[in-house]
Amino acid sequence: MGRKIRQLKDIRIHSEGTNTLFYGIFIIIAIAVILWRLLDTKWPFWLFVIVASALYLAVLNFFRCPRRRFPGDEAEGIVVAPADGKIVVLEEVEEKVYFHDKRLMISIFMSPLNVHANWFPVEGRVKKVSHHKGNYHKAWLPKASEENEHADVLIDTPDGHTVLCRQIAGAMARRIVTYAKEGEDCYIDDHMGFIKFGSRVDVYLPAGSVPCVRMGQFTTGDMTVIAKMPEGETVFQA
């Protein structure tokens, strides 16, 4: 499947943060005005402004969304990082929900300081999208993959493989947003979704996939190649 060329918008702040940032600055200004006008001493006003500004800048940083394009010319057989973060799992596991066989599992943990937009890890066609309610264990724990609230996106690639990408809520995360739609073509430069405030993304790849990262390595979403899948038979063109 050839690379899809499209004009990307220069998005600096993710659309998921628009309401949060708008209402946040409105509340900060309202409280600051009240403190300034009602209190004779001004130190509560300045203390509030300093603390609120620091928190607002932290949230602003969280919702940043840099423009990116995968630097390679061909994406067939390539798996790119779906998120910024740190590799916390890199092992062969038995996937018991969809495949019921051995899969190469690569997990990326996102701290609150990372960009939290998620990209499609492979190009192909979205086969299934499902959301599962669950707990909110710390995202880097092994049990988080199965027990935490998560959203699954299954993607059929043109060379006959099926890849599972799982967005996982963490201890701080309380909202998973998934843009993937069943039956639609997907491309690695496109956003797959967004997870608010600390989380993790797992990728399950077919047996024979070769990892291109190591434990503890930091990744850049839509830029870092994390694995190469085995050659397969072309089944469709997206």
Side-chain angles (χ1 to χ4, degrees), residues 11 25 32 47 51 72 74 77 79 128 132 177 208 237:
I11 302 176
I25 194 65
L47 179 61
V51 173
E74 182 60 47
V79 184
K128 181 181 180 64
H132 306 267
V177 182
Q237 293 290 336

Side-chain angles (χ1 to χ4, degrees), residues 78-236:
I78 295 296
V79 184
V80 299
D84 289 13
K86 181 180 179 180
I87 302 293
V88 293
V89 177
L90 179 58
E91 62 183 2
E92 189 178 73
V93 300
E94 184 78 21
E95 203 289 318
K96 301 178 181 178
V97 179
Y98 302 103
F99 306 112
H100 306 285
D101 61 11
K102 294 287 186 180
R103 292 274 152 167
L104 174 63
M105 177 182 178
I106 302 178
S107 300
I108 300 172
F109 171 71
M110 294 174 283
S111 78
L113 299 179
N114 288 127
V115 170
H116 271 61
N118 300 152
W119 287 263
F120 287 103
V122 295
E123 302 201 330
R125 188 166 294 157
V126 178
K127 179 179 182 179
K128 181 181 180 64
V129 179
S130 60
H131 185 272
H132 306 267
K133 294 184 178 181
N135 297 316
Y136 296 96
H137 302 302
K138 294 178 180 179
W140 62 80
L141 296 176
K143 61 183 178 181
S145 182
E146 297 182 355
E147 296 184 11
N148 277 24
E149 180 172 347
H150 60 274
D152 290 343
V153 178
L154 282 147
I155 303 169
D156 286 335
T157 68
D159 51 2
H161 297 304
T162 300
V163 172
L164 167 62
C165 190
R166 174 171 292 164
Q167 299 171 280
I168 302 171
M172 294 178 61
R174 287 298 184 271
R175 187 184 178 198
I176 299 174
V177 182
T178 304
Y179 306 136
K181 303 295 182 183
E182 292 183 13
E184 291 187 352
D185 292 340
C186 59
Y187 303 89
I188 57 178
D189 289 330
D190 291 344
H191 284 165
M192 185 184 72
F194 194 94
I195 313 178
K196 294 187 177 182
F197 301 110
S199 43
R200 163 176 161 178
V201 179
D202 293 348
V203 181
Y204 292 82
L205 303 173
S209 297
V210 180
C212 300
V213 290
R214 63 186 183 278
M215 282 289 293
Q217 179 177 334
F218 289 94
T219 62
T220 301
D222 198 39
M223 301 291 285
T224 304
V225 176
I226 61 173
K228 294 182 180 180
M229 293 185 293
E231 293 184 4
E233 181 180 351
T234 300
V235 293
F236 69 89

Side-chain angles (χ1 to χ4, degrees), residues 36-68:
W36 180 266
R37 292 188 174 182
L38 296 185
L39 299 179
D40 294 332
T41 178
K42 301 305 178 186
W43 70 263
F45 166 82
W46 290 113
L47 179 61
F48 171 78
V49 168
I50 292 171
V51 173
S53 296
L55 292 175
Y56 189 83
L57 289 175
V59 175
L60 187 67
N61 178 72
F62 174 85
F63 283 111
R64 72 193 187 281
C65 187
R67 182 180 66 176
R68 292 176 183 166

